Amino acid sequence: MTDFIAPNWKKKLNDELEKPYFIELLEFVEKEYTEKECFPEPENIFKALELSPFEDTKVVILGQDPYHGYGQAHGLCFSVQPETKVPPSLVNIFKELESDLQKPIPIHGNLEHWAKQGVLMLNTTLTVRKGEAGSHHGKGWEKFTDTIIKKLSEEREQLVFLLWGGPAQKKGRKIDHSKHLVLTSGHPSPLSANRGYWFGNRHFSKTNDYLVSVGKKPIDW
């Protein structure tokens, strides 16, 4: 399964891949995929790392679980496959994008074009059982994704971390704020957004303003 990890990331994570917890995690995931229906497809589990190489990453968006319905998850947090109905949280992301940058709301929810520009769209947990949110929590993914965040924080400079909602903010506590821009807000889910914790955060324009200020190309959201 680690064959699907992009070579540049694999080099950075090589020590982690050999640790007992990660070996146990892979054994658990392989058993789950054999016995249950799980998402995303095996070749897409590490898609976020594939599309946003370590040295090319400029922005990090942290999600939680992959979507657990058919045709949704494909390895990028908040993103869905093109033919799938846009989920409510992503609808609210698009509404904020429209308000912030006057961008028309897309006709589909596939965000690969963000990832290919250096937006690492990383879920906390990279796999899930069909219809069972949180079913792969506590098995080791959280430790693995913590390592990814830590490496980016320590070995890169002037990145933007977008932490939406309590779990993402908690996971991002070890980010070095003196080296990176860290933007926080409520989660874009309807429950949070409708209470006023999401809309108006202007994270998309703030991200681009920062990237330009440090000599980097802005994201075409």
Side-chain angles (χ1 to χ4, degrees):
M1 197 169 281
T2 56
D3 290 344
F4 294 119
I5 300 178
N8 57 85
W9 272 107
K10 203 168 191 176
K11 186 177 180 181
K12 290 289 179 183
L13 299 168
N14 203 43
D15 291 345
E16 204 70 15
L17 303 181
E18 296 176 358
K19 290 182 178 179
Y21 90 88
F22 191 80
I23 293 169
E24 290 177 14
L25 168 64
L26 285 191
E27 289 173 352
F28 165 78
V29 170
E30 286 170 2
K31 188 171 186 287
E32 283 283 287
Y33 272 71
T34 300
E35 298 178 355
K36 313 274 186 181
E37 194 159 9
C38 298
F39 302 118
E41 294 297 322
E43 64 270 19
N44 287 332
I45 292 174
F46 301 104
K47 179 65 76 174
L49 302 182
E50 176 190 331
L51 294 182
S52 186
F54 182 83
E55 295 297 339
D56 294 341
T57 294
K58 296 190 286 190
V59 181
V60 181
I61 300 178
L62 294 182
Q64 297 176 41
D65 251 15
Y67 295 116
H68 50 78
Y70 281 114
Q72 294 182 304
H74 63 120
L76 306 177
C77 69
F78 294 107
S79 179
V80 291
Q81 298 179 49
E83 65 279 3
T84 305
K85 182 180 178 182
V86 179
S89 291
L90 187 50
V91 168
N92 286 335
I93 289 172
F94 287 158
K95 286 180 179 177
E96 176 60 25
L97 183 58
E98 180 185 43
S99 170
D100 186 14
L101 293 176
Q102 291 73 57
K103 297 272 291 187
I105 291 179
I107 59 173
H108 63 75
N110 187 296
L111 303 178
E112 285 191 14
H113 64 292
W114 292 7
K116 290 175 180 177
Q117 298 175 74
V119 181
L120 179 65
M121 308 181 66
L122 185 69
N123 277 314
T124 298
T125 305
L126 300 189
T127 56
V128 68
R129 234 181 261 157
K130 174 196 163 191
E132 296 183 46
S135 50
H136 289 182
H137 282 189
K139 302 298 183 181
W141 280 130
E142 295 89 346
K143 191 172 182 179
F144 178 69
T145 50
D146 275 347
T147 300
I148 292 172
I149 295 165
K150 186 179 178 184
K151 282 197 172 290
L152 285 167
S153 177
E154 291 178 351
E155 298 181 28
R156 296 289 313 282
E157 294 184 356
Q158 300 174 328
L159 303 183
V160 182
F161 289 85
L162 302 180
L163 309 181
W164 299 337
Q169 290 165 33
K170 184 177 179 182
K171 192 170 181 68
R173 283 175 183 167
K174 294 182 180 179
I175 298 167
D176 186 343
H177 287 231
S178 70
K179 292 170 60 181
H180 308 286
L181 176 65
V182 180
L183 298 175
T184 64
S185 81
H187 195 273
S189 67
L191 183 63
S192 173
N194 293 338
R195 289 177 175 173
Y197 301 133
W198 166 255
F199 293 116
N201 65 39
R202 302 190 65 240
H203 279 190
F204 303 104
S205 61
K206 288 176 181 177
T207 294
N208 280 353
D209 288 346
Y210 177 79
L211 291 175
V212 170
S213 76
V214 297
K216 297 181 181 180
K217 188 177 179 180
I219 305 299
D220 179 10
W221 301 103

